[in-house]
Amino acid sequence: METGVRWLSEEEQRSWRAYLRATRQLDAALDRDLQCSGVSLSEYELLSMLSEAEGGRLRMSALADLIVQSRSRVTHTAARLERRGWVRRTPAPDDGRGVVLELTPEGRAAVESFATVHVESVRRHLVDVLSGEQLAGLGAALQAVSRAYEADPDTPDPTECPTMEA
């Protein structure tokens, strides 16, 4: 029975599964290292992106796109960080519906303290594990995947996907 599906070869399947396992292990290791400092990887990523933004401010929708998380998840993460005094939410000045997330001075100090833990973790679990050539190849390969994802008009928006019913 011909389905029209281009099934993965054995080598492609090995590579795909290695990618899945390694990315999940890497995420878990980076998260564990940051958790020891009192912050999750997703919280650190949000704080880090704000720290690099002009004025330490970004619209929540732009931040969600930047860190590839749903707006709902960014809202929940922002609420946790706001309770800690690391960010504050304000209405967007150019549009009453939008919300801007701003890094507070306490948030900047926090992200700076977490940055050393994160960089050491990235080095330990990824950068120092690979040769310079492997790291450059990985970076180039993942940029190609990212560009293809962003250029694919058929990539569904998760809010437009039908839900599965049992």
Side-chain angles (χ1 to χ4, degrees):
M1 169 168 29
E2 180 61 37
T3 63
V5 174
R6 291 180 49 225
W7 296 106
L8 300 178
S9 69
E10 285 184 37
E11 180 59 32
E12 289 168 335
Q13 183 77 314
R14 272 193 302 277
S15 295
W16 170 241
R17 289 199 174 142
Y19 164 81
L20 283 177
R21 183 168 177 79
T23 56
R24 289 178 179 151
Q25 289 172 323
L26 181 60
D27 281 351
L30 297 174
D31 191 56
R32 259 192 327 270
D33 288 348
L34 282 167
Q35 289 280 351
C36 290
S37 297
V39 69
S40 70
L41 180 58
S42 62
E43 291 169 336
Y44 174 77
E45 184 180 20
L46 188 149
L47 290 169
S48 176
M49 294 298 105
L50 282 177
S51 76
E52 295 173 9
E54 186 176 333
R57 301 168 44 97
L58 282 171
R59 287 182 71 100
M60 296 258 299
S61 57
L63 185 57
D65 291 343
L66 186 62
I67 62 176
V68 193
Q69 290 186 4
S70 70
R71 291 178 184 190
S72 171
R73 184 165 182 198
V74 169
T75 298
H76 289 295
T77 303
R80 285 193 312 274
L81 297 174
E82 194 170 35
R83 285 191 295 272
R84 293 181 183 177
W86 293 345
V87 300
R88 76 176 132 265
R89 290 182 274 188
T90 58
D94 58 335
D95 143 19
R97 295 178 311 154
V99 176
V100 171
L101 194 63
E102 180 178 3
L103 193 63
T104 65
E106 296 82 6
R108 185 164 299 281
V111 75
E112 288 172 0
S113 73
F114 302 139
T116 57
V117 171
H118 181 65
V119 169
E120 288 172 1
S121 184
V122 169
R123 284 202 166 283
R124 181 171 140 228
H125 298 294
L126 178 70
V127 174
D128 293 345
V129 173
L130 302 175
S131 70
E133 185 176 290
Q134 288 172 319
L135 186 61
L138 177 64
L142 293 177
Q143 285 175 357
V145 170
S146 182
R147 282 191 300 273
Y149 173 83
E150 291 168 357
D152 185 351
D154 295 326
T155 299
D157 180 324
T159 62
E160 297 171 4
C161 294
T163 58
M164 306 256 319
E165 294 184 13

